[in-house]
Amino acid sequence: MRCRWLVLVALMGGVALCPLFPEDRGNEILAKVQATANAPRDRSATMAMELVDKGGNTKHRLVQMYQKGDQKRLIRFLEPADVKGVGFLVLSQDEMWLYMPAFHKIRRIASHTKHEKFMGTDFTYDDLAETKYSEHYQATLVHEDEAIAVLTLIPKPEAEVNYGRLVMTVDKSNWVPQRVEFYDRTGTLRKVLTNGKVEKIGPYWTVTQMTMEDVQDKHKTVLSLREIKHDVGLDDEVFSKRSLMRGQ
């Protein structure tokens, strides 16, 4: 039934123009977003982290990040001393591990705690592990022009996610989100992610500065990436629990 009249035009010798439905176009754009984000075989970077409260008070952190493929991630705190050595390992959306040097052991992040904030930041464990929105959300195109596309992402029925809706504004020049709004299950805006700086490093478009703001708590986390390297051949051992505990 889809585009029936257009097919008829085609059969009559006309030009077949079958515009995608909003859901189809939305998922097509979301696929491009994910392909761009996960294009490198691996990536390493140092991240300067700023935690800013509603009074303007700022805490500084320095973090080392490694990523391989579209699943594996390792985040390790380098500074300050009170958090140095804390590590977070993502092997999949369902398998995450946290290492706290003070206890000399790792613990698995339980499913009911994945939606909690990570180490005082405005990112949850789930936020940091999310690499494929299409696994959990159905996208619909709500606006598109020459420069941007705006998608609404609604959780799939079986998805175990904490958000009721996302609104994503995508820059069509590089297929990187400019802004993502996170709404809870009641429809209240909880957080806003802004990708403030995007650079092409080698062949890959890379977000080099991003801000996650909790609009309810008036608290934000600013991440600035530097010393970014792609396709360096990271070994799987880097993403092991043994490596997480070693702090190397």
Side-chain angles (χ1 to χ4, degrees):
M1 297 297 289
R2 179 178 295 184
C3 301
R4 183 172 55 186
W5 68 275
L6 289 171
V7 173
L8 179 61
V9 170
L11 292 174
M12 294 173 66
V15 178
L17 297 174
C18 184
L20 294 174
F21 278 35
E23 294 83 359
D24 295 333
R25 180 59 176 156
N27 287 317
E28 180 183 68
I29 292 172
L30 187 60
K32 291 182 179 181
V33 169
Q34 294 175 165
T36 300
N38 299 318
R41 291 191 297 276
D42 57 46
R43 173 183 293 151
S44 67
T46 302
M47 292 194 296
M49 179 184 293
E50 294 181 353
L51 311 180
V52 186
D53 68 18
K54 60 184 177 182
N57 301 303
T58 303
K59 295 180 179 177
H60 297 275
R61 305 278 187 265
L62 187 63
V63 174
Q64 182 70 45
M65 184 275 291
Y66 301 97
Q67 178 179 347
K68 186 172 185 177
D70 57 9
Q71 292 278 347
K72 297 178 180 177
R73 291 183 180 181
L74 175 64
I75 296 172
R76 180 174 290 118
F77 284 80
L78 305 177
E79 300 175 3
D82 62 337
V83 293
K84 184 177 181 180
V86 172
F88 177 52
L89 174 66
V90 179
L91 297 178
S92 72
Q93 197 79 25
D94 298 320
E95 187 176 0
M96 310 175 201
W97 298 86
L98 182 68
Y99 174 63
M100 304 292 285
F103 301 101
H104 300 290
K105 65 180 182 180
I106 62 174
R107 69 175 176 89
R108 186 166 183 165
I109 305 300
S111 58
H112 66 279
T113 61
K114 291 193 300 182
H115 310 311
E116 296 179 356
K117 291 185 176 181
F118 170 69
M119 295 294 293
T121 73
D122 296 280
F123 295 87
T124 66
Y125 294 100
D126 248 355
D127 291 338
L128 294 172
E130 186 69 78
T131 56
K132 291 182 179 178
Y133 286 103
S134 62
E135 289 187 352
H136 303 111
Y137 295 92
Q138 174 69 42
T140 300
L141 178 70
V142 295
H143 170 77
E144 183 173 16
D145 57 32
E146 291 185 358
I148 64 168
V150 181
L151 312 179
T152 295
L153 277 60
I154 302 297
K156 296 179 179 179
E158 71 280 7
E160 296 181 358
V161 295
N162 198 38
Y163 303 112
R165 176 169 59 103
L166 309 184
V167 177
M168 178 184 291
T169 302
V170 179
D171 184 339
K172 291 174 61 177
S173 69
N174 52 25
W175 302 110
V176 174
Q178 296 175 337
R179 173 186 172 96
V180 183
E181 300 173 356
F182 299 80
Y183 294 82
D184 65 18
R185 297 282 181 175
T186 69
T188 301
L189 177 62
R190 305 299 307 188
K191 300 192 297 188
V192 177
L193 175 67
T194 304
N195 289 326
K197 192 173 182 180
V198 179
E199 300 177 66
K200 196 163 192 180
I201 301 176
Y204 306 118
W205 287 107
T206 306
V207 178
T208 56
Q209 185 178 67
M210 68 184 76
T211 301
M212 179 70 95
E213 180 176 10
D214 187 320
V215 298
Q216 299 298 321
D217 293 344
K218 302 187 184 309
H219 188 280
K220 63 182 178 182
T221 302
V222 183
L223 300 179
S224 300
L225 279 68
R226 57 198 191 207
E227 301 172 356
I228 301 169
K229 298 177 183 177
H230 292 127
D231 300 337
V232 295
L234 292 176
D235 194 275
D236 285 339
E237 173 62 21
V238 173
F239 305 91
S240 67
K241 288 182 282 185
R242 185 169 55 183
S243 172
L244 179 65
M245 289 192 69
R246 271 206 311 262
Q248 299 177 352

